[in-house]
Every structure is written in C-alpha cells, then in structure tokens.
Amino acid sequence: MNELIEPDLHTQPTIPTERLVLRPLRLSDAGMIAHYTEDRRVAEGTRSIPHPLPPGAAEAYVRRAMSADRDEDVWAIDGSSNRLAEILGVVSLTRIESEQSELGFWIGAGFWNTGFATEAVAALVQTNPHGSRTLFAEAFQDNPGSARVLTNCGFEYLGDAESWSVARNARVPTWTYLRKMG
C-alpha cells in the first residue's frame, strides 16, 4: 500500500496512501499553501509560519523545498486522486543527524478531524525515506489534535519543552515525542 514510487536517490519519493498521495512540492502549490497558512490557527500551530504571511513567503518556502541543497524534505498531502484538493497540507522530515530526523506537519483547517494528517504521517513513518532509526516530533500543548496524530502513529511522549512560534512571537509549551524505527 505505501510502496514507494520513483525510488530515485536524487529525488524525493512519491508515497501513495489509501486516500492521498504524498508528493514533492511544486511551484503551483504556493497559492494553496498561502491560502491555508493565512489562517491564524494554522500558522499558530507551527513554529515557523508567520502571521500575517508576508507576500512571497509561500513561493520562497516552495523554492526552498525544491532546492537540491535543502535541509528539509517536504511533501504535499495531495487528495486529488480521491476528488479532494490538490494540496490539503504538508508533512516534512528534517535530518537532525545521520540516523535521526524530525517530523513536522500541518493541514488546512477545513480538513481537520478527517484523519488525513494521521494517514499522511503514518505513511511517511512507514516508508521512512530518510532511513532514520529515530524520529522526533513536537506539538504545542494547546493543540491536542496534533498530539493525537503523533500518538496514533506510534510516537511516544518524551517530555515537555518549549519552542518559539513565529506567528505568536512567543515561546510556547510543547510536548515532545519520539518514534523508534524498526
């Protein structure tokens, strides 16, 4: 079911799920990314999305995600194969060390509580495109929905911490999670 498509080492794999396809970002995604992240609730659920979103920020984000020297692999959560929006949100992996990556995700507010985030995160975890032995993730403590996505995907609570939120312009209490792979 979550078999890799395009397993070329020079490209990000495309990962199909039951209802979605995780695929690398493309320039045409910038408009929908801007649309979803203009919602304060989406921006405030992340560390790095500013609110309000400055002009050109979504395009710059997509260009960084497409860059050959990127730090983070970002996948669009694409529902178009199931008559849904072409982009519902994103899921990402940032390599921390050679065998450790940090997982991040956000989903457009109109798709909250649909299981799409859980399906996307589970597919990325199952596929493990970085070949990580350990995945880390965090959720802001005022966002229990994201915490549920992580625990539903086998992440274990590690402890409390704080992270900076650009949209909130403040440090925000977080729950930190760990997922040991195979």
Side-chain angles (χ1 to χ4, degrees):
M1 177 165 109
N2 291 339
E3 197 172 307
L4 291 178
I5 297 173
E6 302 170 17
D8 182 347
L9 296 177
H10 301 293
T11 63
Q12 259 177 253
T14 297
I15 306 165
T17 73
E18 186 176 326
R19 301 179 294 168
L20 312 166
V21 173
L22 306 184
R23 60 163 176 78
L25 293 184
R26 50 188 176 231
L27 290 176
S28 61
D29 294 328
M32 288 307 294
I33 289 172
H35 172 72
Y36 293 141
T37 59
E38 285 173 355
D39 185 322
R40 178 180 293 277
R41 298 168 301 168
V42 173
E44 288 184 350
T46 73
R47 292 185 300 207
S48 60
I49 298 173
H51 192 274
L53 194 66
E59 292 83 0
Y61 173 73
V62 171
R63 282 192 188 90
R64 282 192 308 277
M66 294 174 65
S67 171
D69 63 346
R70 65 188 175 266
D71 297 333
E72 176 184 36
D73 288 331
V74 182
W75 287 265
I77 302 171
D78 186 329
S80 62
S81 64
N82 207 20
R83 296 181 182 207
L84 298 167
E86 192 168 306
I87 183 166
L88 308 175
V90 302
V91 61
S92 66
L93 284 176
T94 304
R95 195 175 305 282
I96 299 171
E97 293 179 359
S98 65
E99 296 183 343
Q100 295 182 340
S101 295
E102 182 177 20
L103 181 136
F105 66 93
W106 61 260
I107 194 144
F111 305 106
W112 290 352
N113 300 310
T114 60
F116 294 144
T118 298
E119 187 172 334
V121 169
L124 196 59
V125 167
Q126 180 180 345
T127 305
N128 192 13
H130 282 186
S132 300
R133 287 182 46 220
T134 308
L135 296 177
F136 292 93
E138 69 180 6
F140 289 136
Q141 290 183 10
D142 59 1
N143 186 353
S146 287
R148 273 191 306 280
V149 167
L150 295 171
T151 57
N152 288 343
C153 294
F155 283 80
E156 295 181 15
Y157 171 75
L158 195 58
D160 292 0
E162 288 184 335
S163 284
W164 184 260
S165 168
V166 173
R168 300 179 196 208
N169 194 30
R171 294 194 75 65
V172 180
T174 62
W175 294 306
T176 304
Y177 293 87
L178 168 77
R179 174 77 155 71
K180 293 182 182 177
M181 306 297 288

